Structure formats: structure tokens, C-alpha cells
Amino acid sequence: MKASRIAAVGIVVGAVAWVASGHLMPHESSESRAAIRPNTAEPKLFRVAVIETKLAPHARRLVLSGRTEADKKVTITARTGGVLTEMRVRRGMHVKKGDVIAVLSDDAREAQVAQATALYHQRKTELEARRKLIEQGSLPKLEAVNLEAQYKSAEAALAAAVAERDRGVLRAPWDGIITNHSEVGGASLAMQGAPVAQMVSLDPMLAVVEVSERRLRGLKVGDEAEVRLVTGQTATGRIRYIAPSASDTTRTYRVDIEIKNPDGAIPDGITAEVSIPMAPVPASRVPRSALTFSSSGDLGVRMVNGGAKVDFVPVSVVEDDQGHMWVSGIPDGARVIVQGQDFVREGQQVVAVPAEVAVGSAR
């Protein structure tokens, strides 16, 4: 029994000694040496895809929303008293300059013309007859002055009577379309200036836009513009008028583009989009996705410089061309980051590969 206890104690002591030997005198192995050796390998650099940009003159286009507007609109009014006895046009009718629109009642205007005509001929005959007597010395020369005055007065009265008669006939001031008119029987006896008809001229047609003060620079009268209507129609015109002063409410300037419309296909008051080419400026074409913001909130692009470090370049948008943007501020031949630009920062060392290679390796 005593011998078995001694053997058990010996086994325990041997096991403890073996475990202690591993802690007190550790055996050095290749794995342990690798674990305690300091890591001297360089960190792996981030890989970005870049494109090389080219600086080239780009003709910008100023795109604005507006509306069409008839070049001329007029309300034809009665210039004398009377009753509307005849309306010779209807709504939508095309008329030529000088065509009769409406006729007012005569109200003795024709009789006044006849009376003035008779008096005119009388004064003219008297003047011619007595002028011979004056030349012969039978009548004083002062009589010639009186006769001349009476003749001129009769001539003026006849002209006034004819003008009053003509006021009863309303005519079109220019070629156009009747848009509205009064009904026969309407009286304008008590109020001269009562509206009788309205007409509009559709040729030429105007496309009217409002331009902000920041975009006004570079526009000039005579510049060509393209007009696209909401109906899908397109037309080409030229700037005819640029307002010299801004609107008090919107602080914008009115710009009129004149469009030829001989067939009247372009209606008045329809929504239109006007595209005006601007003077070309040096710009670079980059993908829309390449634009990013710096830590300070500036819009720009990140590019890789000659030392493979990341730089940020602020840009100004010249034109939005659907999937791409034309921007200014990028040096010619710069390597702009188009993939990975949001995962790097200025001054960071990167590995730059062409965008085509990056796309190919991803596939």
C-alpha cells in the first residue's frame, strides 16, 4: 500500500515537472520565430481606375423654358358712333391687310360727304372765276385772299367728312387671324372705342424666355437659337430682342427669339424649350460619376499626380451632357479617378490603372 502511494506521488510530480518545463524553458520553433519577428512587409496600396482627360474648346448651350407668343395682337375698336350693321369675318378666319372687318350704320355720314363736296366745288369755281377779274384789276387783290381761305376751308371740311365716313368701315391693319368678334346689332353710339373684333398675327412667331442676370452675358441680338415645342415640333430662329432692364419681381431679362411661321403651324402661347449656343470655352469631358465633393464641400474630381498620390481639383460645370459632364478646371492630360474616388483621400498613395483594364479584370 505504501509502495502504491509512493508511485502515485511520483507520477504527479513528474507530470508537474513536465508542464513546468514548457513554461520555464520554451522550445523555439520556426512558427514561433515567425510570430515574434517584426512585420517588415509594406502595406498593400489601394487600386483606382483612371482616365486621361483632354482639354478642348466646347460650345456650351443655354437651355431655357419659355412659351410662344404672337408677334402682333390687336383689338379693333369703333372709331365713331353707330350700330354694328355688318360683320364680314368669323372667328378663325384669315384676313389680309385692308380687308373689311365690319361696317357701322351710316348715320348721315354719306350725306355729310355730299354736302361738303358740293361746297368744295362751289368755292373752287368762285375762286377760279374771280381770280381772272382780280388779274384784270376789276377786283381788289384782298378779295383773292378771302376766296383762297374759303376754298381751303371747304377742302378741309370735305376731307373731314370723308374721314368720318371711312371710320364707319373697319379694316384689318395687317395680315392675321380673327380670334374674336362682336355680334351684329351691337351699338357703339354712346361709347366710341368699343371693341368690335380681335385679331392676331402668327408670322413671325416669338419664343419668349426669361434669362437670369448670371446667364445674360454672352447673348446678343442675331444669335441663332433652336426651339422645341411641347408638341414635338422644332424650329430655328434668331434672337430679336434682349430686354435692357430686369423684371422687378423675378430679376430676369426677357429675350425674344423670332421664328418664321408662314403656314401658322406654331400656335400662340404653347410651352417651348429654347437652346441657345454660347461661346466655346476650354473644358474636359468626364463621367458624371467621377464628380465628388471634398471634405470642405467643394465640387470637383480626384486625380492621380505624377507621384501616384491623390489630388483634389475643384471644377465648374460647363454643360450637362446626359451621362457625361463638361467641366472646366482640370489640367490637360490629367489622370482623373473614375472608380474608387470616394474611397481615397488627398495625399494618399494609390495604384492607378486605366479604366479599361479595371473593367476587364472585373469581368
Side-chain angles (χ1 to χ4, degrees):
M1 188 70 178
K2 186 176 181 180
S4 62
R5 288 182 179 178
I6 293 172
V9 172
I11 293 172
V12 172
V13 172
V16 172
W18 181 78
V19 172
S21 65
H23 289 278
L24 298 176
M25 295 178 293
H27 299 283
E28 184 175 334
S29 63
S30 59
E31 290 80 0
S32 62
R33 286 195 298 271
I36 63 175
R37 185 182 299 124
N39 187 9
T40 58
E42 295 183 358
K44 187 176 181 180
L45 299 180
F46 192 81
R47 181 168 139 168
V48 295
V50 298
I51 60 170
E52 185 173 336
T53 59
K54 298 294 183 182
L55 198 62
H58 177 70
R60 301 171 295 167
R61 302 192 73 86
L62 179 62
V63 180
L64 302 164
S65 294
R67 68 191 185 282
T68 60
E69 185 177 296
D71 184 30
K72 292 183 287 188
K73 296 180 182 178
V74 68
T75 299
I76 301 174
T77 59
R79 297 182 297 161
T80 186
V83 176
L84 184 60
T85 59
E86 186 178 357
M87 178 62 68
R88 298 189 182 181
V89 296
R90 62 181 183 277
R91 186 176 300 174
M93 183 176 177
H94 290 258
V95 295
K96 298 291 185 180
K97 180 179 179 179
D99 287 352
V100 176
I101 301 296
V103 178
L104 299 178
S105 58
D106 181 78
D107 287 350
R109 281 187 283 269
E110 195 65 45
Q112 293 173 1
V113 172
Q115 181 181 4
T117 302
L119 181 61
Y120 167 78
H121 288 299
Q122 177 185 350
R123 298 304 184 190
K124 183 178 180 180
T125 302
E126 290 177 353
L127 176 61
E128 293 175 350
R130 296 193 179 187
R131 183 176 289 166
K132 294 179 180 180
L133 296 177
I134 294 173
E135 293 174 353
Q136 295 173 359
S138 302
L139 292 176
K141 293 184 178 180
L142 184 60
E143 187 71 16
V145 176
N146 295 332
L147 293 174
E148 186 72 28
Q150 294 175 5
Y151 168 73
K152 291 295 183 181
S153 178
E155 186 179 38
L158 175 59
V162 171
E164 180 65 19
R165 180 193 62 186
D166 292 343
R167 291 191 187 99
V169 180
L170 282 68
R171 299 180 182 273
W174 26 258
D175 298 354
I177 301 175
I178 300 298
T179 59
N180 197 9
H181 60 79
S182 301
E183 297 298 330
V184 173
S188 54
L189 178 62
M191 39 181 268
Q192 294 186 14
V196 176
Q198 295 177 347
M199 61 180 298
V200 62
S201 176
L202 299 182
D203 185 30
M205 179 63 68
L206 300 180
V208 180
V209 294
E210 300 289 336
V211 181
S212 65
E213 52 192 7
R214 297 182 61 183
R215 294 184 171 185
L216 189 66
R217 182 180 180 183
L219 296 183
K220 63 181 183 297
V221 174
D223 284 349
E224 190 173 283
E226 295 180 1
V227 181
R228 180 180 295 274
L229 306 180
V230 70
T231 57
Q233 297 170 272
T234 58
T236 301
R238 292 190 178 276
I239 296 178
R240 192 180 75 175
Y241 170 75
I242 300 176
S245 58
S247 169
D248 294 334
T249 55
T250 62
R251 302 304 304 165
T252 56
Y253 294 80
R254 175 183 170 122
V255 177
D256 294 351
I257 294 91
E258 182 178 314
I259 310 168
K260 298 298 182 183
N261 190 31
D263 55 356
I266 301 177
D268 175 31
I270 195 169
T271 302
E273 181 184 79
V274 177
S275 177
I276 305 173
M278 308 290 289
V281 296
S284 302
R285 186 172 182 262
V286 298
R288 182 194 295 269
S289 59
L291 297 181
T292 186
F293 289 95
S294 67
S295 56
S296 59
D298 296 325
L299 178 66
V301 296
R302 289 189 172 93
M303 65 180 192
V304 179
N305 60 24
K309 288 186 178 181
V310 178
D311 286 337
F312 180 85
V313 179
V315 300
S316 298
V317 177
V318 175
E319 187 177 17
D320 187 351
D321 187 14
Q322 295 182 352
H324 291 77
M325 302 286 284
W326 287 92
V327 296
S328 61
I330 302 177
D332 188 28
R335 295 187 296 168
V336 175
I337 303 175
V338 294
Q339 292 181 13
Q341 67 274 12
D342 292 327
F343 300 98
V344 295
R345 289 294 177 264
E346 293 75 24
Q348 181 179 340
Q349 201 85 16
V350 295
V351 175
V353 298
E356 296 80 3
V357 176
V359 172
S361 61
R363 291 178 181 175

